[in-house]
Every structure is written in C-alpha cells, then in structure tokens.
Amino acid sequence: MPQPAHPTLATRFNPLKHHAFQRDPLSPILVVDDHPIIAEACRIVLGEVEDVVAARDVPSGYEAFLEHRPGVVILDLTFPGAALGGVDLLHRISSDAPLARILVFSMHADANIVASAIKAGASGYLLKDSPPDELPKAVRQVRLGHRYVDERINLRGVPLPDHVDSDKVATLTRREREALSLLGQGNSYSTIAEELAITPRAVARLIKQARIKLGIRRTSDLLRRARDLAGGEDSSN
C-alpha cells in the first residue's frame, strides 16, 4: 500500500477521540468507487439527506478519509490493477480508526468474500443490484453502529467476529479502558497490575467486566478490541 499523502495526520489521528464516526450527523458520506456513475448514483439517492464526497481509487480514498473524516465510507472492493484492492483500504481505515463505519458496496455475493470484508472491519455489506431504497437504509444502520448485511447473502455456517457496537466502548470506565489498552500492547496481567498499582486479580476483574460490557465472547475478539484501544486511549469518563 502507498503511504498517505499526509502522514502527520495519520499519526496524530486518535480514533477513540474522533466522535464523528459515531455521533456527528453532519459528517459526510465518502464513496470510494472507480466508476463515477456509482458515486453520482449515491449522490442522487443520498443527496437529499447526506453530504456525499467521492474518490476513485485506493490512494485517493485514503486521503479523502483523512481529510473529510466521514461518518460512513461506502467502499467498492474491486479496483483496476488490484483484485479486491478495496480490502486493502478497508484494512487500513479500520486499523487507523477502529470506530469508522464502512459499508461495502459490491457485486461480490460470495459468502467468503463477505465474511472476509466483515473480519477486516466492514460494518455492513450491500450488493450493488439492490433496490435504491436499500442504500439509505444500510447507511443509516451502519452510521448508528449496527451491522447490516444484504438479506440475499447466505452467511449460514460462515464464522463472523462478534460485533462490538462502538457506543458500548463509551460504557467502559477509565480503569477498564486502561487495562484493555495495556493488554492490547502485549502486557501480562502481572505487568498491567504493576502499571495500574492494583493486584492481578483486580486486573482480571476489570478485563472480565469490559468483556461483558462489550458483549465479546471469543478471546481473539477481545484481544483485537484491546489492540484497537491501545492505538488511541480515550480520556473521557
């Protein structure tokens, strides 16, 4: 992947302090698709209620993401010269900003591709041959922090990661976020205990409470969320 045009922006970007992804109703919609007609169609369908900006490839899509900090990214998966190159952008955005809302808008209906996109950080997946009124519905659900998958896609038997609503992150106490963040940095319970000046048993209790609040069942998903928090600690609460 090429480096962003403004690396300092990417470095300073604190995803947990960027509330536009979860609460600002005025944040624009970013459409990343190499076909101008798709961006124009999105403007027509969403234009009455949303401000829509567009990018035509992966590098400009990332730059537009940093510049506009959109409430929702509508992302195609296929770009000229890079099969499923949109997945690279999906990985990059979700890595930089775990709270970002990304709706994949694609012709690929294969369950494995859909599952891979969701595992990479997509909040939703909509097929391009959907009726026009499905797009605003999907955008609305994704903006609210819900997972949205086109009902025609059969994901039965396909494992998906637990969905963590970013609003649930706000329910964590400062201590719970600190413990998770330190866990995400690869620290043991004893090291976290020393850092927070508490006992290892208290650390285990904090992690358990955070796990319950976030609705996470699998340890792998807990560690992923912990790594997300380690990338930008929220100072609220």
Side-chain angles (χ1 to χ4, degrees), residues 31-34 54-64 75 79-80 89:
V31 180
V32 186
D33 196 296
D34 62 303
R56 294 187 59 177
D57 54 38
V58 170
S60 63
Y62 185 75
E63 291 179 17
L75 175 64
F79 291 86
L89 180 57

Side-chain angles (χ1 to χ4, degrees), residues 202-213:
V203 172
R205 185 166 59 250
L206 288 172
I207 298 296
K208 181 179 180 180
Q209 290 169 349
R211 189 172 190 159
I212 292 172
K213 288 181 179 180

Side-chain angles (χ1 to χ4, degrees), residues 102-192:
I102 306 172
L103 172 66
V104 171
F105 194 35
S106 173
M107 288 302 297
H108 294 287
D110 182 87
N112 291 320
I113 293 177
V114 177
S116 295
I118 293 174
K119 290 175 182 177
S123 303
Y125 199 106
L126 182 66
L127 298 177
K128 284 187 175 180
D129 61 351
S130 299
D133 60 352
E134 283 298 309
L135 182 58
K137 182 192 302 184
V139 167
R140 183 166 57 251
Q141 290 299 309
V142 167
R143 187 190 280 277
L144 289 172
H146 305 310
R147 176 179 289 168
Y148 182 95
V149 178
D150 194 304
E151 62 183 12
R152 294 169 296 168
I153 299 173
N154 183 9
L155 292 175
R156 184 173 303 170
V158 179
L160 294 176
D162 288 324
H163 176 61
V164 179
D165 191 325
S166 62
D167 287 341
K168 293 179 181 178
V169 175
T171 68
L172 300 179
T173 66
R174 180 189 296 276
R175 273 306 212 206
E176 289 164 353
R177 285 197 295 272
E178 288 174 344
L180 272 185
S181 178
L182 289 167
L183 181 67
Q185 295 171 26
N187 294 295
S188 66
Y189 277 23
S190 58
T191 302
I192 296 172

Side-chain angles (χ1 to χ4, degrees), residues 159-162 211 216-223:
L160 294 176
D162 288 324
R211 189 172 190 159
I216 294 176
R217 295 187 297 274
R218 291 193 290 267
T219 300
S220 59
D221 293 326
L222 176 67
L223 291 175

Side-chain angles (χ1 to χ4, degrees), residues 9-68:
L9 284 178
T11 303
R12 293 200 308 267
F13 187 32
N14 185 330
L16 291 180
K17 291 183 179 179
H18 176 35
H19 300 298
F21 291 124
Q22 48 187 327
R23 295 185 182 90
D24 187 354
L26 300 179
S27 298
I29 303 294
L30 170 61
V31 180
V32 186
D33 196 296
D34 62 303
H35 292 97
I37 192 171
I38 297 296
E40 187 59 32
C42 289
R43 285 194 178 98
I44 293 172
V45 173
L46 300 170
E48 292 186 4
V49 293
E50 302 280 3
D51 179 21
V52 178
V53 295
R56 294 187 59 177
D57 54 38
V58 170
S60 63
Y62 185 75
E63 291 179 17
F65 173 77
L66 292 178
E67 177 182 354
H68 297 285

Side-chain angles (χ1 to χ4, degrees), residues 1-4 57-60 62 82 85-93:
M1 286 291 295
Q3 293 300 311
D57 54 38
V58 170
S60 63
Y62 185 75
V87 176
D88 293 333
L89 180 57
L90 177 55
H91 273 293
R92 189 165 194 174
I93 291 176

